[in-house]
Amino acid sequence: MAAACAAATDAQPAWAALAPVDRGRILARAAAIIRDRADELARLETLDTGKPIQETSVADWPSGADALEFFAGLAASVTGHHIPLGRDFAYTIREPLGVCAGIGAWNYPSQIACWKAAPALVMGNAMVFKPSEETPLGALKLAEILTEAGLPPGVFNVVQGRGAVGAALINDPRVAKVSLTGSVPTGRRVYAAAAEGMRHVTMELGGKSPLIVFDDASLDDAVSAAILANFYSSGQICSNGTRVFVQRGIADAFLTRLAERCAEVRMGNPLDPDTQHGPIINVAQAEKIRAAIAAGQAEGARLVCGGPGEGPFIPPTVFADATDGMIIAREEIFGPVMTVLTFDDEAEAITRANATAFGLAAGVFTADLTRAHRVIAALEAGTCWINAYNLTPVQMPFGGVKASGLGRENSAAAIEHYSQLKSVYVGMGPVESPY
Ligand code: NDP
């Protein structure tokens, strides 16, 4: 860890001194390499995470390549401002922070590494990245690809190890910023540690996001979105809409259609291209999910489909007749467990959707566009969808409010989180002094 921080510290000034367009060119080359090796990388991601190759072929590395490409293109257009002051003027310079630490979760190891590395590097920072110990391969592969693309040694470094390595990294005096993707409890610890050194932070944390389905929505689209919002990556997605609020009049039809669709899921070997639903990251996590399923049953919710499964496999699981106070409606499960809650009117849906400490994401399904925008405006969430769910194009800022985090990844907004402003006042005439 110390060697990585030293290498990053040594390499950063020369990297920052390059023209931004030259830094961007290296990132663009890395994106092209990723696209050329799509099949090999998808397989690696599946071996690392257990996610179906159907998903890793389209979501993980491809999204990472999108980020590298996007920030490569943005590199040359980041500028400061000129501030006219009459005779004098001022200007601002957007400077790199220095050495940035990235710490990742295990659900999207290569995507997380790319989402953090791309804006950090393009702004002239160096990075030391610690992936989750569950998924050590993706970040290493990214380092290899960036090196092949021409990144100078020391600019992007990977350290392996559990949380203690991450904690040591944040406390290293050479680290100017930490960007974490992880759970809320880890986020609190990392934020507190970063505060000691007055370090910048980006926190991408957990959620218990609402997906609100009004009775005028297209039922099939809403069911498809609920599936995408809960069962992709076996439910191990921070932004999942795990509290599905369905307007009472369509609740039975919604549940019937959902159960039919879930019965068709192909669960199994993630390397089989026909597999749609893979295992949980490890058996310990699967047991935590099973405990949540058991709590749902013990508290009286109705199991519509799915259940505890076996070993690392847990099928798409849906609970109905749940209430907001139940564990399955309150806590992030980080597994394929959807809780369907019914509501009567718009005001009630908004109040109940917001009654959580989390605020990562939210979705609304309705044919009434006026209502869609009104409801989204009232929801306390950083990343929202109308008649869609869990789509995260790199052009759109991604992140949460409340306990789900701060700062934003992706889009031009991420540039601000990997740079700082220097203000320069320029005196153009004689200096007036009182005595
Ligand atoms: P954790 O919070 O357990 O771990 C996240 C990372 O932090 C891991 O690399 C972990 O190391 C490391 N870590 C743990 N403790 C510390 C510490 N004290 N100091 C520094 N680093 C530490 O999350 P999971 O890996 O279990 O991922 C699941 C969680 O991540 C869920 O809550 C999910 O919602 C959230 N998440 C959020 C996303 C978002 O963008 N908002 C996206 C994806 C996931 P190790 O595990 O190797 O010990």
Side-chain angles (χ1 to χ4, degrees), residues 103-107 112 130-134 161-163 166-167 170 180-184 186 189-190 204-207 238 332 334 360 398:
I103 301 178
W106 38 254
N107 58 341
I112 291 170
K130 190 203 90 67
S132 163
E133 189 66 352
E134 297 296 329
R162 290 227 163 262
I170 307 156
L180 169 79
T181 296
S183 61
V184 172
T186 302
R189 281 195 288 276
V190 169
E204 296 293 354
L205 308 177
C238 50
E332 183 181 45
F334 219 57
L360 183 54
F398 180 81

PDB file of all heavy atoms in Angstrom, residues 103-107 112 130-134 161-163 166-167 170 180-184 186 189-190 204-207 238 332 334 360 398, ligand 1:
ATOM      1  N   ILE A 103     -12.074   2.895  -3.684  1.00  0.00           N
ATOM      2  CA  ILE A 103     -12.364   1.638  -2.975  1.00  0.00           C
ATOM      3  C   ILE A 103     -13.678   1.096  -3.528  1.00  0.00           C
ATOM      4  O   ILE A 103     -14.679   1.816  -3.569  1.00  0.00           O
ATOM      5  CB  ILE A 103     -12.463   1.870  -1.443  1.00  0.00           C
ATOM      6  CG1 ILE A 103     -11.137   2.458  -0.925  1.00  0.00           C
ATOM      7  CG2 ILE A 103     -12.798   0.571  -0.724  1.00  0.00           C
ATOM      8  CD1 ILE A 103     -11.136   2.767   0.565  1.00  0.00           C
ATOM      9  N   GLY A 104     -13.649  -0.167  -3.956  1.00  0.00           N
ATOM     10  CA  GLY A 104     -14.808  -0.689  -4.678  1.00  0.00           C
ATOM     11  C   GLY A 104     -15.546  -1.808  -3.978  1.00  0.00           C
ATOM     12  O   GLY A 104     -14.993  -2.514  -3.123  1.00  0.00           O
ATOM     13  N   ALA A 105     -16.811  -1.965  -4.340  1.00  0.00           N
ATOM     14  CA  ALA A 105     -17.636  -3.090  -3.882  1.00  0.00           C
ATOM     15  C   ALA A 105     -17.476  -4.245  -4.869  1.00  0.00           C
ATOM     16  O   ALA A 105     -16.855  -4.097  -5.921  1.00  0.00           O
ATOM     17  CB  ALA A 105     -19.097  -2.651  -3.802  1.00  0.00           C
ATOM     18  N   TRP A 106     -18.103  -5.389  -4.554  1.00  0.00           N
ATOM     19  CA  TRP A 106     -17.867  -6.577  -5.375  1.00  0.00           C
ATOM     20  C   TRP A 106     -18.898  -6.781  -6.481  1.00  0.00           C
ATOM     21  O   TRP A 106     -18.789  -7.699  -7.261  1.00  0.00           O
ATOM     22  CB  TRP A 106     -17.785  -7.845  -4.522  1.00  0.00           C
ATOM     23  CG  TRP A 106     -18.732  -7.903  -3.357  1.00  0.00           C
ATOM     24  CD1 TRP A 106     -18.397  -7.739  -2.047  1.00  0.00           C
ATOM     25  CD2 TRP A 106     -20.146  -8.159  -3.368  1.00  0.00           C
ATOM     26  NE1 TRP A 106     -19.503  -7.847  -1.238  1.00  0.00           N
ATOM     27  CE2 TRP A 106     -20.585  -8.114  -2.020  1.00  0.00           C
ATOM     28  CE3 TRP A 106     -21.080  -8.408  -4.367  1.00  0.00           C
ATOM     29  CZ2 TRP A 106     -21.918  -8.304  -1.653  1.00  0.00           C
ATOM     30  CZ3 TRP A 106     -22.399  -8.596  -4.020  1.00  0.00           C
ATOM     31  CH2 TRP A 106     -22.803  -8.550  -2.680  1.00  0.00           C
ATOM     32  N   ASN A 107     -19.902  -5.946  -6.560  1.00  0.00           N
ATOM     33  CA  ASN A 107     -20.975  -6.244  -7.520  1.00  0.00           C
ATOM     34  C   ASN A 107     -20.646  -5.822  -8.955  1.00  0.00           C
ATOM     35  O   ASN A 107     -21.067  -6.470  -9.897  1.00  0.00           O
ATOM     36  CB  ASN A 107     -22.297  -5.634  -7.056  1.00  0.00           C
ATOM     37  CG  ASN A 107     -22.217  -4.135  -6.879  1.00  0.00           C
ATOM     38  OD1 ASN A 107     -21.128  -3.577  -6.759  1.00  0.00           O
ATOM     39  ND2 ASN A 107     -23.354  -3.495  -6.872  1.00  0.00           N
ATOM     40  N   ILE A 112     -16.866  -0.214 -11.581  1.00  0.00           N
ATOM     41  CA  ILE A 112     -16.559   0.727 -10.498  1.00  0.00           C
ATOM     42  C   ILE A 112     -15.145   1.276 -10.680  1.00  0.00           C
ATOM     43  O   ILE A 112     -14.904   2.480 -10.543  1.00  0.00           O
ATOM     44  CB  ILE A 112     -16.730   0.047  -9.117  1.00  0.00           C
ATOM     45  CG1 ILE A 112     -18.209  -0.242  -8.838  1.00  0.00           C
ATOM     46  CG2 ILE A 112     -16.134   0.915  -8.003  1.00  0.00           C
ATOM     47  CD1 ILE A 112     -18.472  -1.114  -7.610  1.00  0.00           C
ATOM     48  N   LYS A 130      -8.407   0.098  -4.479  1.00  0.00           N
ATOM     49  CA  LYS A 130      -8.541  -1.172  -3.760  1.00  0.00           C
ATOM     50  C   LYS A 130      -9.888  -1.808  -4.096  1.00  0.00           C
ATOM     51  O   LYS A 130     -10.940  -1.312  -3.689  1.00  0.00           O
ATOM     52  CB  LYS A 130      -8.468  -0.979  -2.242  1.00  0.00           C
ATOM     53  CG  LYS A 130      -8.372  -2.328  -1.529  1.00  0.00           C
ATOM     54  CD  LYS A 130      -8.843  -2.308  -0.090  1.00  0.00           C
ATOM     55  CE  LYS A 130     -10.293  -2.606   0.080  1.00  0.00           C
ATOM     56  NZ  LYS A 130     -10.726  -3.963  -0.261  1.00  0.00           N
ATOM     57  N   PRO A 131      -9.856  -2.887  -4.865  1.00  0.00           N
ATOM     58  CA  PRO A 131     -11.129  -3.563  -5.134  1.00  0.00           C
ATOM     59  C   PRO A 131     -11.564  -4.348  -3.900  1.00  0.00           C
ATOM     60  O   PRO A 131     -10.779  -4.530  -2.964  1.00  0.00           O
ATOM     61  CB  PRO A 131     -10.776  -4.521  -6.274  1.00  0.00           C
ATOM     62  CG  PRO A 131      -9.311  -4.781  -6.139  1.00  0.00           C
ATOM     63  CD  PRO A 131      -8.706  -3.572  -5.475  1.00  0.00           C
ATOM     64  N   SER A 132     -12.811  -4.804  -3.918  1.00  0.00           N
ATOM     65  CA  SER A 132     -13.258  -5.717  -2.860  1.00  0.00           C
ATOM     66  C   SER A 132     -12.413  -6.981  -2.924  1.00  0.00           C
ATOM     67  O   SER A 132     -12.075  -7.472  -3.997  1.00  0.00           O
ATOM     68  CB  SER A 132     -14.727  -6.065  -3.077  1.00  0.00           C
ATOM     69  OG  SER A 132     -15.053  -7.216  -2.338  1.00  0.00           O
ATOM     70  N   GLU A 133     -12.105  -7.523  -1.765  1.00  0.00           N
ATOM     71  CA  GLU A 133     -11.299  -8.750  -1.719  1.00  0.00           C
ATOM     72  C   GLU A 133     -12.046  -9.922  -2.383  1.00  0.00           C
ATOM     73  O   GLU A 133     -11.443 -10.894  -2.801  1.00  0.00           O
ATOM     74  CB  GLU A 133     -10.959  -9.053  -0.251  1.00  0.00           C
ATOM     75  CG  GLU A 133      -9.967 -10.156  -0.026  1.00  0.00           C
ATOM     76  CD  GLU A 133      -8.549  -9.880  -0.531  1.00  0.00           C
ATOM     77  OE1 GLU A 133      -8.333  -8.862  -1.222  1.00  0.00           O
ATOM     78  OE2 GLU A 133      -7.672 -10.699  -0.255  1.00  0.00           O
ATOM     79  N   GLU A 134     -13.379  -9.795  -2.497  1.00  0.00           N
ATOM     80  CA  GLU A 134     -14.166 -10.850  -3.166  1.00  0.00           C
ATOM     81  C   GLU A 134     -13.927 -10.860  -4.676  1.00  0.00           C
ATOM     82  O   GLU A 134     -14.153 -11.871  -5.332  1.00  0.00           O
ATOM     83  CB  GLU A 134     -15.661 -10.623  -2.924  1.00  0.00           C
ATOM     84  CG  GLU A 134     -16.101 -10.716  -1.483  1.00  0.00           C
ATOM     85  CD  GLU A 134     -15.898 -12.108  -0.907  1.00  0.00           C
ATOM     86  OE1 GLU A 134     -15.989 -13.088  -1.671  1.00  0.00           O
ATOM     87  OE2 GLU A 134     -15.619 -12.204   0.302  1.00  0.00           O
ATOM     88  N   GLY A 161      -6.593  -6.547  -0.724  1.00  0.00           N
ATOM     89  CA  GLY A 161      -6.720  -6.798   0.715  1.00  0.00           C
ATOM     90  C   GLY A 161      -8.103  -6.426   1.202  1.00  0.00           C
ATOM     91  O   GLY A 161      -8.902  -5.866   0.453  1.00  0.00           O
ATOM     92  N   ARG A 162      -8.385  -6.764   2.431  1.00  0.00           N
ATOM     93  CA  ARG A 162      -9.713  -6.491   2.997  1.00  0.00           C
ATOM     94  C   ARG A 162      -9.830  -5.039   3.452  1.00  0.00           C
ATOM     95  O   ARG A 162      -8.972  -4.210   3.129  1.00  0.00           O
ATOM     96  CB  ARG A 162      -9.976  -7.457   4.164  1.00  0.00           C
ATOM     97  CG  ARG A 162     -10.173  -8.877   3.697  1.00  0.00           C
ATOM     98  CD  ARG A 162     -11.377  -9.549   4.339  1.00  0.00           C
ATOM     99  NE  ARG A 162     -11.746 -10.739   3.581  1.00  0.00           N
ATOM    100  CZ  ARG A 162     -12.720 -10.780   2.673  1.00  0.00           C
ATOM    101  NH1 ARG A 162     -13.448  -9.707   2.434  1.00  0.00           N
ATOM    102  NH2 ARG A 162     -12.977 -11.881   2.016  1.00  0.00           N
ATOM    103  N   GLY A 163     -10.858  -4.780   4.235  1.00  0.00           N
ATOM    104  CA  GLY A 163     -11.153  -3.411   4.657  1.00  0.00           C
ATOM    105  C   GLY A 163      -9.989  -2.721   5.344  1.00  0.00           C
ATOM    106  O   GLY A 163      -9.826  -1.499   5.218  1.00  0.00           O
ATOM    107  N   GLY A 166      -8.020  -0.872   2.968  1.00  0.00           N
ATOM    108  CA  GLY A 166      -8.732   0.347   2.574  1.00  0.00           C
ATOM    109  C   GLY A 166      -8.582   1.423   3.641  1.00  0.00           C
ATOM    110  O   GLY A 166      -8.329   2.595   3.340  1.00  0.00           O
ATOM    111  N   ALA A 167      -8.707   1.020   4.911  1.00  0.00           N
ATOM    112  CA  ALA A 167      -8.606   1.988   6.014  1.00  0.00           C
ATOM    113  C   ALA A 167      -7.206   2.600   6.045  1.00  0.00           C
ATOM    114  O   ALA A 167      -7.053   3.812   6.234  1.00  0.00           O
ATOM    115  CB  ALA A 167      -8.934   1.296   7.332  1.00  0.00           C
ATOM    116  N   ILE A 170      -6.839   5.208   3.217  1.00  0.00           N
ATOM    117  CA  ILE A 170      -7.471   6.516   3.462  1.00  0.00           C
ATOM    118  C   ILE A 170      -6.642   7.359   4.417  1.00  0.00           C
ATOM    119  O   ILE A 170      -6.644   8.585   4.347  1.00  0.00           O
ATOM    120  CB  ILE A 170      -8.866   6.349   4.093  1.00  0.00           C
ATOM    121  CG1 ILE A 170      -9.713   5.431   3.266  1.00  0.00           C
ATOM    122  CG2 ILE A 170      -9.556   7.681   4.280  1.00  0.00           C
ATOM    123  CD1 ILE A 170     -10.793   4.804   4.093  1.00  0.00           C
ATOM    124  N   LEU A 180     -15.543   6.034  -2.474  1.00  0.00           N
ATOM    125  CA  LEU A 180     -15.932   4.694  -2.028  1.00  0.00           C
ATOM    126  C   LEU A 180     -17.232   4.266  -2.683  1.00  0.00           C
ATOM    127  O   LEU A 180     -18.183   5.047  -2.747  1.00  0.00           O
ATOM    128  CB  LEU A 180     -16.141   4.689  -0.499  1.00  0.00           C
ATOM    129  CG  LEU A 180     -16.809   3.417   0.060  1.00  0.00           C
ATOM    130  CD1 LEU A 180     -15.799   2.275   0.182  1.00  0.00           C
ATOM    131  CD2 LEU A 180     -17.449   3.673   1.420  1.00  0.00           C
ATOM    132  N   THR A 181     -17.285   3.034  -3.128  1.00  0.00           N
ATOM    133  CA  THR A 181     -18.556   2.389  -3.440  1.00  0.00           C
ATOM    134  C   THR A 181     -18.706   1.254  -2.455  1.00  0.00           C
ATOM    135  O   THR A 181     -17.869   0.335  -2.432  1.00  0.00           O
ATOM    136  CB  THR A 181     -18.574   1.861  -4.883  1.00  0.00           C
ATOM    137  OG1 THR A 181     -18.461   2.979  -5.762  1.00  0.00           O
ATOM    138  CG2 THR A 181     -19.876   1.143  -5.188  1.00  0.00           C
ATOM    139  N   GLY A 182     -19.699   1.328  -1.611  1.00  0.00           N
ATOM    140  CA  GLY A 182     -19.862   0.297  -0.587  1.00  0.00           C
ATOM    141  C   GLY A 182     -21.118   0.532   0.218  1.00  0.00           C
ATOM    142  O   GLY A 182     -22.013   1.267  -0.197  1.00  0.00           O
ATOM    143  N   SER A 183     -21.179  -0.082   1.376  1.00  0.00           N
ATOM    144  CA  SER A 183     -22.390  -0.004   2.191  1.00  0.00           C
ATOM    145  C   SER A 183     -22.388   1.279   3.046  1.00  0.00           C
ATOM    146  O   SER A 183     -21.355   1.926   3.201  1.00  0.00           O
ATOM    147  CB  SER A 183     -22.455  -1.227   3.110  1.00  0.00           C
ATOM    148  OG  SER A 183     -21.331  -1.214   3.949  1.00  0.00           O
ATOM    149  N   VAL A 184     -23.529   1.600   3.600  1.00  0.00           N
ATOM    150  CA  VAL A 184     -23.643   2.812   4.421  1.00  0.00           C
ATOM    151  C   VAL A 184     -22.744   2.734   5.670  1.00  0.00           C
ATOM    152  O   VAL A 184     -22.029   3.703   5.968  1.00  0.00           O
ATOM    153  CB  VAL A 184     -25.119   3.091   4.790  1.00  0.00           C
ATOM    154  CG1 VAL A 184     -25.227   4.227   5.794  1.00  0.00           C
ATOM    155  CG2 VAL A 184     -25.908   3.416   3.523  1.00  0.00           C
ATOM    156  N   THR A 186     -19.894   1.185   6.113  1.00  0.00           N
ATOM    157  CA  THR A 186     -18.511   1.416   5.673  1.00  0.00           C
ATOM    158  C   THR A 186     -18.344   2.875   5.273  1.00  0.00           C
ATOM    159  O   THR A 186     -17.321   3.507   5.587  1.00  0.00           O
ATOM    160  CB  THR A 186     -18.156   0.489   4.485  1.00  0.00           C
ATOM    161  OG1 THR A 186     -18.353  -0.860   4.901  1.00  0.00           O
ATOM    162  CG2 THR A 186     -16.723   0.675   4.037  1.00  0.00           C
ATOM    163  N   ARG A 189     -17.670   5.063   8.218  1.00  0.00           N
ATOM    164  CA  ARG A 189     -16.295   4.918   8.739  1.00  0.00           C
ATOM    165  C   ARG A 189     -15.305   5.632   7.825  1.00  0.00           C
ATOM    166  O   ARG A 189     -14.393   6.325   8.290  1.00  0.00           O
ATOM    167  CB  ARG A 189     -15.922   3.428   8.835  1.00  0.00           C
ATOM    168  CG  ARG A 189     -16.496   2.738  10.067  1.00  0.00           C
ATOM    169  CD  ARG A 189     -15.817   1.407  10.320  1.00  0.00           C
ATOM    170  NE  ARG A 189     -16.211   0.408   9.329  1.00  0.00           N
ATOM    171  CZ  ARG A 189     -17.323  -0.333   9.427  1.00  0.00           C
ATOM    172  NH1 ARG A 189     -18.130  -0.194  10.448  1.00  0.00           N
ATOM    173  NH2 ARG A 189     -17.619  -1.211   8.500  1.00  0.00           N
ATOM    174  N   VAL A 190     -15.482   5.443   6.520  1.00  0.00           N
ATOM    175  CA  VAL A 190     -14.531   6.025   5.567  1.00  0.00           C
ATOM    176  C   VAL A 190     -14.640   7.556   5.568  1.00  0.00           C
ATOM    177  O   VAL A 190     -13.632   8.267   5.547  1.00  0.00           O
ATOM    178  CB  VAL A 190     -14.777   5.441   4.150  1.00  0.00           C
ATOM    179  CG1 VAL A 190     -14.003   6.198   3.088  1.00  0.00           C
ATOM    180  CG2 VAL A 190     -14.407   3.958   4.141  1.00  0.00           C
ATOM    181  N   GLU A 204     -20.593   6.507  -2.739  1.00  0.00           N
ATOM    182  CA  GLU A 204     -21.677   5.819  -3.455  1.00  0.00           C
ATOM    183  C   GLU A 204     -22.095   4.648  -2.592  1.00  0.00           C
ATOM    184  O   GLU A 204     -21.418   3.611  -2.565  1.00  0.00           O
ATOM    185  CB  GLU A 204     -21.181   5.328  -4.821  1.00  0.00           C
ATOM    186  CG  GLU A 204     -20.770   6.426  -5.772  1.00  0.00           C
ATOM    187  CD  GLU A 204     -21.915   7.308  -6.230  1.00  0.00           C
ATOM    188  OE1 GLU A 204     -23.080   7.014  -5.900  1.00  0.00           O
ATOM    189  OE2 GLU A 204     -21.641   8.312  -6.900  1.00  0.00           O
ATOM    190  N   LEU A 205     -23.191   4.810  -1.870  1.00  0.00           N
ATOM    191  CA  LEU A 205     -23.516   3.825  -0.834  1.00  0.00           C
ATOM    192  C   LEU A 205     -24.809   3.073  -1.166  1.00  0.00           C
ATOM    193  O   LEU A 205     -25.261   3.092  -2.299  1.00  0.00           O
ATOM    194  CB  LEU A 205     -23.575   4.531   0.516  1.00  0.00           C
ATOM    195  CG  LEU A 205     -22.325   5.387   0.835  1.00  0.00           C
ATOM    196  CD1 LEU A 205     -22.485   6.125   2.153  1.00  0.00           C
ATOM    197  CD2 LEU A 205     -21.051   4.544   0.831  1.00  0.00           C
ATOM    198  N   GLY A 206     -25.374   2.449  -0.176  1.00  0.00           N
ATOM    199  CA  GLY A 206     -26.504   1.555  -0.417  1.00  0.00           C
ATOM    200  C   GLY A 206     -27.838   2.273  -0.540  1.00  0.00           C
ATOM    201  O   GLY A 206     -27.913   3.494  -0.490  1.00  0.00           O
ATOM    202  N   GLY A 207     -28.882   1.491  -0.693  1.00  0.00           N
ATOM    203  CA  GLY A 207     -30.207   2.076  -0.840  1.00  0.00           C
ATOM    204  C   GLY A 207     -31.320   1.097  -0.530  1.00  0.00           C
ATOM    205  O   GLY A 207     -31.089  -0.099  -0.285  1.00  0.00           O
ATOM    206  N   CYS A 238     -26.876  -1.585  -5.927  1.00  0.00           N
ATOM    207  CA  CYS A 238     -27.172  -0.576  -4.903  1.00  0.00           C
ATOM    208  C   CYS A 238     -28.442   0.210  -5.199  1.00  0.00           C
ATOM    209  O   CYS A 238     -29.172   0.586  -4.298  1.00  0.00           O
ATOM    210  CB  CYS A 238     -25.999   0.373  -4.801  1.00  0.00           C
ATOM    211  SG  CYS A 238     -25.514   0.993  -6.416  1.00  0.00           S
ATOM    212  N   GLU A 332     -31.645  -2.745   3.481  1.00  0.00           N
ATOM    213  CA  GLU A 332     -31.057  -3.164   2.212  1.00  0.00           C
ATOM    214  C   GLU A 332     -30.655  -4.633   2.334  1.00  0.00           C
ATOM    215  O   GLU A 332     -29.901  -5.010   3.234  1.00  0.00           O
ATOM    216  CB  GLU A 332     -29.816  -2.325   1.885  1.00  0.00           C
ATOM    217  CG  GLU A 332     -29.259  -2.717   0.533  1.00  0.00           C
ATOM    218  CD  GLU A 332     -28.011  -1.939   0.136  1.00  0.00           C
ATOM    219  OE1 GLU A 332     -27.114  -1.772   0.970  1.00  0.00           O
ATOM    220  OE2 GLU A 332     -27.940  -1.515  -1.029  1.00  0.00           O
ATOM    221  N   PHE A 334     -29.588  -6.536  -0.491  1.00  0.00           N
ATOM    222  CA  PHE A 334     -28.542  -6.764  -1.494  1.00  0.00           C
ATOM    223  C   PHE A 334     -28.609  -8.197  -2.025  1.00  0.00           C
ATOM    224  O   PHE A 334     -27.619  -8.918  -2.102  1.00  0.00           O
ATOM    225  CB  PHE A 334     -27.161  -6.445  -0.925  1.00  0.00           C
ATOM    226  CG  PHE A 334     -26.267  -5.757  -1.926  1.00  0.00           C
ATOM    227  CD1 PHE A 334     -26.652  -4.578  -2.526  1.00  0.00           C
ATOM    228  CD2 PHE A 334     -25.039  -6.304  -2.284  1.00  0.00           C
ATOM    229  CE1 PHE A 334     -25.845  -3.942  -3.463  1.00  0.00           C
ATOM    230  CE2 PHE A 334     -24.220  -5.680  -3.226  1.00  0.00           C
ATOM    231  CZ  PHE A 334     -24.624  -4.491  -3.811  1.00  0.00           C
ATOM    232  N   LEU A 360     -30.876   6.833  -2.585  1.00  0.00           N
ATOM    233  CA  LEU A 360     -30.045   6.653  -3.775  1.00  0.00           C
ATOM    234  C   LEU A 360     -30.850   6.845  -5.064  1.00  0.00           C
ATOM    235  O   LEU A 360     -30.482   7.624  -5.924  1.00  0.00           O
ATOM    236  CB  LEU A 360     -29.374   5.266  -3.757  1.00  0.00           C
ATOM    237  CG  LEU A 360     -28.429   4.990  -4.921  1.00  0.00           C
ATOM    238  CD1 LEU A 360     -27.380   6.073  -5.055  1.00  0.00           C
ATOM    239  CD2 LEU A 360     -27.756   3.635  -4.771  1.00  0.00           C
ATOM    240  N   PHE A 398     -24.676  10.091 -11.516  1.00  0.00           N
ATOM    241  CA  PHE A 398     -25.184   8.972 -10.711  1.00  0.00           C
ATOM    242  C   PHE A 398     -24.735   9.157  -9.264  1.00  0.00           C
ATOM    243  O   PHE A 398     -23.559   9.401  -8.999  1.00  0.00           O
ATOM    244  CB  PHE A 398     -24.641   7.637 -11.245  1.00  0.00           C
ATOM    245  CG  PHE A 398     -25.126   6.450 -10.463  1.00  0.00           C
ATOM    246  CD1 PHE A 398     -26.380   5.918 -10.700  1.00  0.00           C
ATOM    247  CD2 PHE A 398     -24.344   5.887  -9.466  1.00  0.00           C
ATOM    248  CE1 PHE A 398     -26.847   4.847  -9.956  1.00  0.00           C
ATOM    249  CE2 PHE A 398     -24.801   4.813  -8.722  1.00  0.00           C
ATOM    250  CZ  PHE A 398     -26.051   4.288  -8.971  1.00  0.00           C
TER     251      PHE A 398
HETATM  252  P1  NDP B   1     -18.679  -2.932   1.892  1.00  0.00           P
HETATM  253  O1  NDP B   1     -19.093  -1.623   2.412  1.00  0.00           O
HETATM  254  O2  NDP B   1     -18.621  -4.088   2.803  1.00  0.00           O
HETATM  255  O3  NDP B   1     -17.231  -2.822   1.209  1.00  0.00           O
HETATM  256  C1  NDP B   1     -16.939  -1.863   0.214  1.00  0.00           C
HETATM  257  C2  NDP B   1     -15.431  -1.741   0.082  1.00  0.00           C
HETATM  258  O4  NDP B   1     -14.911  -1.075   1.230  1.00  0.00           O
HETATM  259  C3  NDP B   1     -14.699  -3.075   0.018  1.00  0.00           C
HETATM  260  O5  NDP B   1     -13.604  -2.953  -0.854  1.00  0.00           O
HETATM  261  C4  NDP B   1     -14.263  -3.265   1.456  1.00  0.00           C
HETATM  262  O6  NDP B   1     -13.176  -4.157   1.579  1.00  0.00           O
HETATM  263  C5  NDP B   1     -13.882  -1.850   1.820  1.00  0.00           C
HETATM  264  N1  NDP B   1     -13.882  -1.551   3.251  1.00  0.00           N
HETATM  265  C6  NDP B   1     -14.518  -2.177   4.259  1.00  0.00           C
HETATM  266  N2  NDP B   1     -14.279  -1.564   5.441  1.00  0.00           N
HETATM  267  C7  NDP B   1     -13.458  -0.509   5.171  1.00  0.00           C
HETATM  268  C8  NDP B   1     -12.846   0.517   5.980  1.00  0.00           C
HETATM  269  N3  NDP B   1     -13.054   0.598   7.293  1.00  0.00           N
HETATM  270  N4  NDP B   1     -12.070   1.432   5.365  1.00  0.00           N
HETATM  271  C9  NDP B   1     -11.876   1.388   4.026  1.00  0.00           C
HETATM  272  N5  NDP B   1     -12.405   0.435   3.232  1.00  0.00           N
HETATM  273  C10 NDP B   1     -13.203  -0.502   3.783  1.00  0.00           C
HETATM  274  O7  NDP B   1     -19.645  -3.197   0.667  1.00  0.00           O
HETATM  275  P2  NDP B   1     -19.784  -4.528  -0.213  1.00  0.00           P
HETATM  276  O8  NDP B   1     -18.517  -4.827  -0.919  1.00  0.00           O
HETATM  277  O9  NDP B   1     -20.409  -5.564   0.646  1.00  0.00           O
HETATM  278  O10 NDP B   1     -20.817  -4.020  -1.301  1.00  0.00           O
HETATM  279  C11 NDP B   1     -22.152  -3.979  -1.047  1.00  0.00           C
HETATM  280  C12 NDP B   1     -22.612  -2.607  -0.651  1.00  0.00           C
HETATM  281  O11 NDP B   1     -22.162  -1.643  -1.586  1.00  0.00           O
HETATM  282  C13 NDP B   1     -24.098  -2.484  -0.641  1.00  0.00           C
HETATM  283  O12 NDP B   1     -24.546  -1.793   0.501  1.00  0.00           O
HETATM  284  C14 NDP B   1     -24.418  -1.677  -1.868  1.00  0.00           C
HETATM  285  O13 NDP B   1     -25.607  -1.000  -1.795  1.00  0.00           O
HETATM  286  C15 NDP B   1     -23.227  -0.808  -1.980  1.00  0.00           C
HETATM  287  N6  NDP B   1     -23.033  -0.390  -3.353  1.00  0.00           N
HETATM  288  C16 NDP B   1     -23.285   0.916  -3.694  1.00  0.00           C
HETATM  289  C17 NDP B   1     -23.176   1.334  -4.981  1.00  0.00           C
HETATM  290  C18 NDP B   1     -23.414   2.762  -5.348  1.00  0.00           C
HETATM  291  O14 NDP B   1     -22.903   3.203  -6.348  1.00  0.00           O
HETATM  292  N7  NDP B   1     -24.140   3.533  -4.581  1.00  0.00           N
HETATM  293  C19 NDP B   1     -22.820   0.405  -6.060  1.00  0.00           C
HETATM  294  C20 NDP B   1     -22.535  -0.916  -5.598  1.00  0.00           C
HETATM  295  C21 NDP B   1     -22.648  -1.284  -4.291  1.00  0.00           C
HETATM  296  P3  NDP B   1     -13.396  -5.780   1.661  1.00  0.00           P
HETATM  297  O15 NDP B   1     -14.839  -6.047   1.378  1.00  0.00           O
HETATM  298  O16 NDP B   1     -12.486  -6.308   0.632  1.00  0.00           O
HETATM  299  O17 NDP B   1     -13.029  -6.168   3.043  1.00  0.00           O
END
